[in-house]
Amino acid sequence: MRDRKRGSHRRVSTSPWKYVVATWLAGVLAAVGLGAVSPAGSALRSSLGLSAGALAWATSSITAVSAVLGIPAGWWILRFGAHRALSWGLFVMAVATAISATAGSWGLLLGSRVAEGVGYLLVFVAGPVVITRMTQGGIRSAALALWGTCVPMGLAVAAALGGVLASQWTWNRWFALTALGPLIMAGVLTVVLPRLPRTPVQYPHRAVGTWNGALRLGAAYGSLSLVGVAVVMVLPLFLTEHREVTPTVAGTVVALVCLGSAIGGLAASWLLRRGLALSSLVPLGVLMPVACVPAFSAEFPLAVSGGAATLVLLVDGLLISAVFAAVPAAVSRAEHVDVANGILNQLGSVGMLMGPPVFGLAIAAAGWGAVAAATFVFGGLGTVLLLKGARTSATGTADGVSRSLDAPDGVDVREGPKPLRKAPDVSKPNRNRI
């Protein structure tokens, strides 16, 4: 009888990394949709008769949705469930992208891109929540840092694949291809991801100072995103006008620079997995304004300038990944993680929208040397705010969150010999209570 009972309570040890990688792939595919318009920009303009401004709206409308609805999305996902929101977000993106592939006017294209932005928002708020609830300890920090690479990796894939197909395919076929990935991944996640236990909502918005840590990290993410996006956007103009390189060479340099952001995020994940403290990564932020000097100077060889720009994005990507890794320690309750990620996405999207015009105004007023100055201001702000969040993580204030975000039965997220207790089933009353 005892052996039977023991056998009935055995759990299959399953590494959480397969769920982390599946969730990460969902984020990468969503980010491909974010960057899908740029490779087809010329064909779209000639086909639909769009102005440069209309094309820019179609490009940025996805992040505009996140800039407006990030926090409400966090509240909604808290009630709907992160694992379902992740799959539904991918499905919405797939349907909206398929509609945009058939667009015959700017209005339909813009409307479908806005709808795609809703799905994108669901993916990028729910994705870190799923990872947080499937992991703990050092694995959680490394997994969330890996999540921070989704956007640069997706943009790099969109630029590389779209650039190859742009001369061979119509923009309609390219959009249809980008719709296929999220659709397939939505089905995969529905089958692969275990159902996560729901956390009871206890009116967290009433607690004084509840969101201070999340707001600091959100502002850090916004500042760092502002720098990264702005540098990528203004670099092609600098290369073609002041370095007098061909558009092909400029595109190659920019692609390598964008890849640097993904490499930085992967480096952060690797370092955190091996126990490096978050606070140890933050001082690297000082390299960004320093590297901007040779990156935007015609006095250095092109290889040096390109390498310096890559270093800027590498450090920026590393710090952004550190922001995501610090989120669980910035909240005091399990149910706050959903809304905290909504805050991050909203403020991060605001930074992405503000970056190009802010840097453009600075360059118009003071020349290309203003890039280093603007990077010093916004990169320094993001670094300081992240340092405060990293110190919070080091003090272990998220112990309660770590204990309450246990993975579903059958997923082993242990880092030592101590067994992981099963998460409580809040849907069943405790019959042992008197």
Side-chain angles (χ1 to χ4, degrees):
M1 293 292 291
R2 288 182 179 177
D3 290 339
R4 229 178 249 178
K5 287 182 179 178
R6 286 177 182 173
S8 65
H9 288 287
R10 283 179 186 170
R11 298 172 58 203
V12 179
S13 179
T14 303
S15 170
W17 278 106
K18 74 173 187 178
Y19 304 115
V20 170
V21 171
T23 305
W24 175 79
L25 284 173
V28 172
L29 289 172
V32 169
L34 175 64
V37 171
S38 295
S42 298
L44 269 172
R45 289 189 64 182
S46 60
S47 176
L48 301 182
L50 303 180
S51 64
L55 183 65
W57 272 107
T59 304
S60 63
S61 54
I62 286 185
T63 52
V65 172
S66 296
V68 175
L69 298 177
I71 296 175
W75 285 110
W76 182 79
I77 289 173
L78 174 62
R79 290 156 175 78
F80 185 69
H83 65 290
R84 289 196 294 172
L86 183 59
S87 297
W88 274 102
L90 290 168
F91 180 75
V92 169
M93 287 196 72
V95 173
T97 306
I99 294 173
S100 67
T102 64
S105 64
W106 179 75
L108 182 57
L109 176 65
L110 181 63
S112 60
R113 289 287 287 179
V114 169
E116 190 177 351
V118 174
Y120 175 88
L121 176 59
L122 293 179
V123 171
F124 274 88
V125 175
V129 178
V130 170
I131 290 175
T132 301
R133 291 183 176 171
M134 298 297 300
T135 57
Q136 64 181 14
I139 292 178
R140 176 182 293 170
S141 296
L144 288 171
L146 178 65
W147 175 262
T149 68
C150 286
V151 171
M153 190 67 74
L155 293 178
V157 170
L161 188 59
V164 171
L165 296 177
S167 59
Q168 305 174 13
W169 285 18
T170 64
W171 65 268
N172 310 81
R173 294 176 65 188
W174 163 240
F175 277 14
L177 178 65
T178 61
L180 190 59
L183 182 62
I184 294 173
M185 201 64 202
V188 170
L189 291 181
T190 302
V191 175
V192 170
L193 283 185
R195 189 174 181 84
L196 300 175
R198 289 195 178 187
T199 305
V201 182
Q202 300 178 359
Y203 303 103
H205 59 286
R206 293 183 179 179
V208 178
T210 295
W211 306 113
N212 288 345
L215 287 169
R216 280 198 298 268
L217 288 177
Y221 183 36
S223 299
L224 294 169
S225 297
L226 186 152
V227 170
V229 170
V231 168
V232 170
M233 291 297 181
V234 302
L235 183 59
L237 181 64
F238 172 78
L239 291 174
T240 54
E241 291 191 358
H242 290 266
R243 300 303 301 258
E244 297 181 350
V245 303
T246 63
T248 302
V249 173
T252 302
V253 172
V254 172
L256 292 174
V257 169
C258 290
L259 189 60
S261 181
I263 293 173
L266 292 174
S269 177
W270 186 83
L271 292 170
L272 293 173
R273 181 70 182 90
R274 280 149 184 78
L276 188 70
L278 276 171
S279 56
S280 301
L281 300 177
V282 177
L284 293 173
V286 72
L287 295 175
M288 289 194 294
V290 174
C292 277
V293 175
F296 290 91
S297 173
E299 298 177 0
F300 293 86
L302 181 61
V304 174
S305 296
T310 303
L311 179 60
V312 175
L313 268 292
L314 189 148
V315 174
D316 189 70
L318 185 145
L319 295 180
I320 286 175
S321 290
V323 169
F324 281 98
V327 169
V331 298
S332 57
R333 292 178 181 269
E335 63 267 22
H336 294 184
V337 175
D338 308 63
V339 184
N341 280 290
I343 292 172
L344 247 69
N345 276 273
Q346 183 152 347
L347 296 182
S349 297
V350 170
M352 292 179 190
L353 288 173
M354 289 178 57
V358 167
F359 271 58
L361 289 173
I363 293 168
W368 288 101
V371 173
T375 301
F376 175 79
V377 172
F378 291 101
L381 175 62
T383 301
V384 170
L385 292 170
L386 175 57
L387 182 60
K388 292 183 178 181
R391 285 174 177 170
T392 300
S393 177
T395 59
T397 57
D399 288 345
V401 176
S402 296
R403 288 194 297 267
S404 62
L405 290 178
D406 288 334
D409 202 15
V411 181
D412 186 0
V413 294
R414 291 175 290 176
E415 294 185 310
K418 185 178 178 181
L420 177 69
R421 66 174 176 83
K422 184 178 178 181
D425 188 353
V426 297
S427 63
K428 297 179 181 179
N430 189 344
R431 296 180 181 176
N432 294 328
R433 289 182 182 174
I434 300 176

